[in-house]
């Protein structure tokens, strides 16, 4: 019977196994190199040939339900990857250095959890290729090119890996990027791209053409905010360079809980981020605001739903007078 995959602390395992690790001087960005490793995608979660994995270093908070990671530690998972594991163990050493960037079709996670991993590349030798997950669209590829250029990285070939479990050789795997490191990364990109943080604009972020978490009477909310000097924007209709510029010039951003609010990472310290969200729903934006030096506020709405997931994705309706009360506080 195949043993289950064991969850251990990366640093303890690294020292025992003699793995090479690299850490930036500020300690915020780090990576570890595996001679051979199994990669569970789209989680972008490494598993060693001796069946160890490392939640403390590679589990991205909020990227997927915790159950998706839990499944990796079920004995059935280890049994299922047995043939892939055996093939990788028997394979000769790789002939190319890989850097595991990963990816996500969600703008929030692509912007804050994956692209900042590029900051780990200068810590070691230049890789021969980037390992990315399938499904990156042209806009995400343009964002990757923009971020790489800010680090003065050449265009690197991409090795696209499908969902499932793949075997990699000579792979450098960046650890989860903490929010302060993501903020520092994007401020460096802004500077390299010549985008200045000049806060003055007031932005209301529309949800755009979405099927869930829609704001009832969004047009009326936008009209009321516009009378108070706000501009209404749909970031999904803009390329990343323009999103960077708009948010870098914003002093106040108001928007419904959604991936577009990740663009608050481009705002200057001292700005204000106000999130419209379901009452009681968890949100990552307060932590992002704290890391970016922003004031964080929220407008909470009662929603229908029997489970936390249903309430998180339910449509929202603000109480009467909520927008006027917000404007009085700003």
């Amino acid at each position: 019977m195949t043993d289950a995959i064991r969850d251990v602390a990366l640093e303890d395992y690294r020292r025992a196994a003699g793995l090479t690790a690299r850490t930036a001087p500020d300690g915020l960005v780090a990576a570890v190199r595996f001679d051979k490793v199994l990669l569970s995608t789209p989680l972008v979660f490494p598993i060693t040939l001796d069946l160890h994995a490392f939640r403390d270093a590679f589990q991205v908070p909020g990227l997927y339900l915790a159950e998706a990671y839990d499944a990796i530690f079920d004995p059935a998972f280890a049994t299922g990857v047995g043939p892939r594991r055996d093939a990788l163990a028997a394979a000769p050493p790789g002939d190319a250095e890989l850097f595991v960037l990963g990816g996500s079709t969600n703008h929030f996670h692509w912007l804050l959890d994956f692209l900042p991993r590029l900051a780990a590349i200068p810590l070691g030798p230049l890789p021969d290729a980037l390992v990315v997950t399938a499904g990156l669209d042209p806009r995400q590829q343009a964002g990757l090119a923009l971020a790489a250029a800010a680090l003065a990285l050449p265009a690197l070939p991409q090795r696209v890996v499908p969902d499932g479990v793949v075997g990699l050789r000579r792979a450098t795997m960046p650890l989860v990027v903490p929010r302060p490191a993501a903020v520092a990364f994007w401020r460096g990109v802004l500077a390299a791209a010549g985008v200045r943080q000049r806060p003055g604009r007031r932005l209301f972020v529309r949800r755009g053409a979405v099927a869930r978490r829609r704001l009832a009477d969004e047009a009326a909310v936008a009209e009321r905010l516009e009378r108070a000097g706000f501009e209404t924007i749909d970031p999904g209709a803009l390329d990343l360079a323009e999103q960077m510029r708009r948010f870098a010039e914003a002093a106040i951003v108001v928007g419904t809980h959604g991936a577009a609010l990740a663009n608050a990472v481009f705002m200057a310290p001292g700005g204000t981020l106000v999130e419209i969200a379901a009452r009681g729903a968890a949100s990552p934006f307060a932590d992002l605001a704290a890391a970016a030096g922003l004031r964080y506020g929220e407008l909470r709405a009662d929603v229908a739903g029997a489970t936390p997931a249903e309430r998180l994705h339910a449509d929202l309706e603000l109480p009467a007078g909520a927008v006027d009360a917000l404007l009085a506080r700003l």
Side-chain angles (χ1 to χ4, degrees):
M1 179 178 177
T2 303
D3 292 333
I5 293 166
R6 295 175 290 282
D7 181 25
V8 299
L10 175 65
E11 184 58 19
D12 292 342
Y13 182 89
R14 185 194 70 77
R15 290 177 178 174
L19 300 179
T20 300
R22 304 183 181 95
T23 304
D26 59 12
L28 292 178
V29 178
V32 64
R33 184 183 181 279
F34 297 94
D35 289 332
K36 294 180 179 179
V37 69
L38 297 168
L39 190 71
S40 176
T41 61
L43 294 172
V44 197
F45 195 64
I47 303 162
T48 62
L49 290 179
D50 57 355
L51 297 181
H52 290 86
F54 318 96
R55 284 185 190 256
D56 68 320
F58 299 109
Q59 181 167 329
V60 176
L63 179 56
Y64 297 92
L65 294 177
E67 289 83 354
Y69 289 97
D70 292 342
I72 291 174
F73 298 94
D74 188 302
F77 187 93
T79 300
V81 302
R84 179 76 65 182
R85 175 192 176 201
D86 294 342
L88 180 61
D95 57 3
E97 288 289 339
L98 304 177
F99 183 88
V100 182
L101 179 63
S104 173
T105 55
N106 179 280
H107 179 70
F108 176 95
H109 295 297
W110 179 236
L111 199 68
L112 299 178
D113 293 316
F114 289 100
L115 282 177
R117 297 182 182 196
L118 292 170
I121 291 181
L123 301 179
L126 189 69
D128 297 300
L130 297 177
V131 175
V132 298
T133 50
L136 300 184
D137 61 31
R139 188 169 298 179
Q140 289 177 300
Q141 291 286 359
L144 172 55
L146 188 155
L151 293 172
L153 296 174
L156 294 170
Q158 295 180 13
R159 181 176 297 186
V160 180
V161 293
D163 288 356
V165 177
V166 298
L168 300 178
R169 294 170 289 169
R170 298 174 63 181
T172 293
M173 182 83 193
L175 278 58
V176 167
V177 179
R179 287 290 174 261
V183 170
F185 173 81
W186 282 111
R187 286 180 178 163
V189 172
L190 289 174
V195 178
R196 296 178 57 193
Q197 291 179 315
R198 295 181 293 187
R201 306 173 85 154
R202 293 180 160 200
L203 303 181
F204 172 58
V205 179
R206 293 187 61 243
R207 282 285 287 153
V210 294
R212 62 188 188 184
R213 213 180 308 117
R214 294 165 295 192
L215 179 61
D217 296 327
E218 184 179 67
V221 172
E223 181 182 3
R224 177 66 187 92
L225 290 173
E226 287 168 1
R227 293 202 305 270
F230 280 76
E231 306 169 50
T232 299
I233 67 167
D234 176 5
L238 308 173
D239 62 25
L240 182 59
E242 184 60 19
Q243 291 180 57
M244 289 168 54
R245 187 182 69 82
R246 298 279 187 100
F247 281 80
E249 294 176 354
I252 303 173
V253 170
V254 177
T256 303
H257 177 97
L261 293 188
N263 290 314
V265 74
F266 305 129
M267 295 175 67
T272 298
L273 173 65
V274 179
E275 176 188 10
I276 302 170
R279 195 178 309 280
S283 171
F285 295 107
D287 288 342
L288 173 59
L294 306 176
R295 291 183 291 271
Y296 173 79
E298 56 187 18
L299 290 178
R300 292 289 181 167
D302 291 319
V303 297
T307 67
E310 290 176 350
R311 291 190 291 274
L312 175 64
H313 298 308
D315 292 343
L316 305 169
E317 184 171 2
L318 289 173
V323 176
D324 286 334
L326 170 66
L327 291 172
R329 297 197 305 269
L330 293 177

